[in-house]
């Protein structure tokens, strides 16, 4: 009887809200038919761009699984007073899409370093290792030697292109580190983080490799404390011991970097004022480190001190694009992942919206005829979107249907993490809790100090030269090979043999096959909320 009562209440709510949330045109089947016909014609009119990619931009949302993309899309719309579901993010406009399998060689569910080695170096490897193949073992220095693998950033630099990394984490973190470093442990940020045995065996820390391995033109993110000698005061937080320098070898890597650039215009900045003063037209090299460690979450960022990821992306592109041979740029929305690990969905989604704004800025500043742009993720999270919320309901709100314990739950939840709050077999009553707060920690099913990654496939979205190569279901390591082929860098130069590296006019280099024409499966599907809710409440 109790279940029946709540089913009736749910049906009544559906009837009332359905009449107020549905747009009039959406009740007319011609609305959907016209929309479908328009999308179909756009697909039929699409021509393959087979140019050589002068520029390659890889936008990597760390932890940005498909659930995160969907939820962030809704949030972005709701931030602009829309219902949210029909919102189109910049990454949604990419015409070609595929799925990538993210497992590492030794684990079903990966971390950010093993995945980065796959999509940047084209080789799958073991958990927690950076820029080495699977013969290397986590934390064992002697297994690193001889098993190093290089990244597409190095391939692009060797081909004469300018290269850069932009991240919202420390520049020594797993994703950016894989562009330039080789390490048996992703955690060897500075020499202070390394065991004595690893140092004796000749391994070096990631921060020092930032200067040694590849000549990177633009380096933007955080990580000042890994670059300076132990005890060096941080310029922004001089009284905070945790922010001071960590290096035990006495090296001041920032000063060393500046000395290496004699004869070039090389700028080091750590604050917004100095960053804004950097003239891209006259700057050869830029190192911008805005925090001792990772950058602040975007909603907590002080805009007078730190620029947004869209602004750092713009500066990087303007500097790199001066090279007539083009550039490779990695842009990482790294704190999406960290928001999820803390089970703070609001933080993770706002980071994703900021990341999408950076994608928009990248497209604005480049020419699609010559620039291959990709958006993807390294892995997902144990993050769920559930509970039959009504159309237009806050993505950070609560499901209109209660649990069997007669208590509400949020639309977004986690499979595990710090949000486990069951006491005496009872969930907390969140009816009066502001679940939309940036600090709210979503409920989880299993208690952990930090929420874990997820193991399902992630999306790759592509536009520009050879974007049709990114299709179907592929190993994550395929990404590096396809990017390199499109840009004529690395080993496979068939795409540009005896041809100029770039032209502004389209050229048909290959004949499109039936598989090519059908290589952009849509990730968008329609589900009837009414049918789903009726089925749920009447079950």
């Amino acid at each position: 009887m109790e279940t029946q009562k709540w089913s009736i209440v749910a049906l009544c709510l559906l009837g009332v809200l359905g009449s107020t949330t549905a747009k009039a045109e959406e009740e007319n089947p011609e609305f959907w038919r016209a929309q479908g016909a328009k999308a179909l014609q756009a697909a039929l009119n699409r021509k393959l761009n087979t140019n050589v990619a002068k520029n390659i931009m890889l936008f990597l949302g760390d932890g940005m699984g498909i659930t995160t993309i969907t939820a962030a899309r809704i949030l972005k719309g709701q931030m602009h007073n829309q219902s949210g579901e029909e919102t189109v993010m910049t990454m949604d406009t990419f015409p070609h899409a595929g799925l990538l399998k993210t497992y590492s060689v030794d684990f079903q569910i990966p971390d950010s370093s093993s995945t980065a080695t796959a999509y940047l170096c084209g080789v799958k490897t073991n958990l927690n290792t950076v820029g080495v193949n699977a013969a290397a073992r986590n934390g064992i220095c002697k297994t690193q030697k001889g098993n190093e693998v290089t990244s597409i950033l190095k391939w692009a630099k060797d081909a004469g292109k300018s290269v850069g990394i932009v991240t919202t984490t420390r520049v020594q973190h797993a994703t950016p580190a894989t562009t330039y470093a080789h390490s048996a442990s992703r955690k060897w940020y500075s020499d202070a983080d390394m065991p004595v045995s690893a140092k004796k065996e000749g391994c070096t820390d990631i921060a020092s490799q930032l200067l040694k391995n590849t000549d990177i033109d633009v380096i933007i993110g955080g990580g000042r404390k890994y670059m300076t000698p132990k005890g060096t005061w941080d310029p922004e937080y001089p009284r905070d011991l945790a922010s001071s320098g960590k290096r035990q070898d006495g090296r001041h890597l920032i000063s060393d970097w500046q000395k290496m650039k004699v004869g070039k215009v090389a700028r080091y900045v750590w604050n917004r004022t100095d960053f804004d003063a950097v003239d891209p037209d006259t700057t050869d090299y830029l190192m911008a480190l805005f925090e001792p460690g990772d950058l602040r979450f975007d909603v907590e960022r002080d805009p007078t001190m730190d620029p947004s990821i869209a602004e750092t992306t713009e500066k990087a592109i303007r500097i790199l694009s001066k090279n007539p041979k083009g550039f490779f740029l990695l842009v990482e929305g790294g704190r999406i992942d960290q928001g999820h690990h803390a089970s703070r969905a609001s933080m993770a989604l706002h980071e994703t919206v900021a990341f999408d704004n950076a994608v928009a800025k990248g497209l604005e500043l480049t020419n699609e005829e010559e620039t291959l742009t990709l958006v993807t993720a390294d892995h997902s999270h144990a993050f769920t979107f559930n509970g039959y919320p009504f159309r237009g309901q806050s993505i950070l709100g609560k499901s209109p249907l209660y649990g069997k314990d007669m208590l509400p739950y949020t639309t977004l939840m986690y499979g595990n993490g710090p949000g486990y709050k069951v006491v005496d077999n009872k969930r907390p009553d969140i009816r009066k809790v502001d679940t939309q707060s940036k600090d709210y920690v979503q409920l989880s099913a299993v208690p952990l100090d930090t929420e874990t990654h997820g193991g399902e496939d992630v999306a790759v979205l592509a536009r520009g030269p050879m974007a049709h190569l990114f299709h179907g279901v592929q190993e994550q390591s395929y990404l590096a090979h396809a990017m390199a082929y499109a840009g004529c860098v690395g080993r496979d130069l068939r795409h540009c043999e005896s041809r100029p590296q770039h032209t502004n006019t389209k050229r048909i280099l290959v004949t499109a096959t039936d598989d090519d024409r059908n290589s952009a499966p849509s990730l968008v599907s329609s589900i009837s909320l009414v049918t789903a809710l009726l089925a749920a409440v009447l079950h």
Side-chain angles (χ1 to χ4, degrees), residues 66-115:
I66 292 178
T67 303
T68 301
I69 293 174
T70 303
R73 177 189 302 126
I74 295 172
L75 176 64
K76 189 167 187 175
Q78 292 178 347
M79 289 169 65
H80 294 88
N81 299 317
Q82 302 167 357
S83 72
E85 297 83 3
E86 73 284 359
T87 299
V88 178
M89 293 210 294
T90 299
M91 67 179 79
D92 294 337
T93 66
F94 284 43
H96 298 278
L99 294 173
L100 302 175
K101 296 186 283 186
T102 63
Y103 67 91
S104 65
V105 170
D106 54 348
F107 280 81
Q108 283 184 344
I109 296 178
D111 76 317
S112 294
S113 59
S114 60
T115 52

Side-chain angles (χ1 to χ4, degrees), residues 165 171-172 176 179-181 205-216 219 227 253 257 260 287 289:
I165 53 176
V171 297
Q172 305 86 0
T179 64
Y180 61 85
D205 63 278
I206 292 170
S208 66
Q209 293 185 56
L210 178 60
L211 275 64
K212 180 177 65 176
N213 291 353
T214 304
D215 185 26
I216 303 175
I219 303 165
M227 307 289 282
L253 296 181
W257 178 83
M260 293 168 62
M287 179 185 286
L289 305 179

Side-chain angles (χ1 to χ4, degrees), residues 59-63 165-176 219-223 288-299 301 306-313 330-339 347-348 350-356 358:
F59 287 87
L60 190 287
D62 196 319
I165 53 176
V166 171
T167 181
T168 54
T169 65
R170 68 206 84 172
V171 297
Q172 305 86 0
H173 210 251
T175 301
I219 303 165
I220 302 178
L289 305 179
F290 295 108
E291 290 290 333
D294 300 324
L295 304 191
R296 296 183 180 275
F297 284 111
D298 193 65
V299 297
R301 176 176 57 88
D306 302 330
S308 68
I309 186 174
E311 292 169 320
T312 53
T313 297
L330 169 68
V331 178
E332 183 201 21
R335 300 221 68 188
I336 300 170
D337 176 73
Q338 294 174 358
M347 285 300 197
H350 278 91
E351 287 296 301
T352 307
V353 172
F355 174 74
D356 192 60

Side-chain angles (χ1 to χ4, degrees), residues 7-8 10-12 14-15 388 390 401 528-539:
S7 296
I8 293 172
L11 287 171
C12 291
L14 178 62
Y388 302 112
F390 293 112
L401 300 182
S528 170
L529 175 62
V530 174
T531 301
L533 186 52
L534 284 173
V537 298
L538 294 177
H539 180 65

Side-chain angles (χ1 to χ4, degrees), residues 52-53 56 152 155 159 161 466 469 478-498 501:
V52 172
I56 301 172
I152 187 172
W155 309 341
K161 297 182 185 294
M466 306 305 289
L469 295 179
Y478 169 76
L479 207 66
H481 300 285
M483 284 190 291
Y485 179 86
C488 292
V489 300
R491 294 183 177 183
D492 191 345
L493 302 179
R494 287 176 296 165
H495 188 40
C496 60
E497 286 177 346
S498 70
Q501 289 288 304

Side-chain angles (χ1 to χ4, degrees), residues 223-251:
R224 290 192 297 254
K225 64 183 179 181
Y226 305 109
M227 307 289 282
T228 56
K230 184 177 181 179
T232 303
W233 288 359
D234 186 82
E236 190 172 0
Y237 313 104
R239 298 183 180 180
D240 181 14
L241 293 179
S243 298
S244 62
K246 294 191 63 177
R247 301 198 64 81
Q248 295 177 340
D249 59 6
R251 292 186 64 187

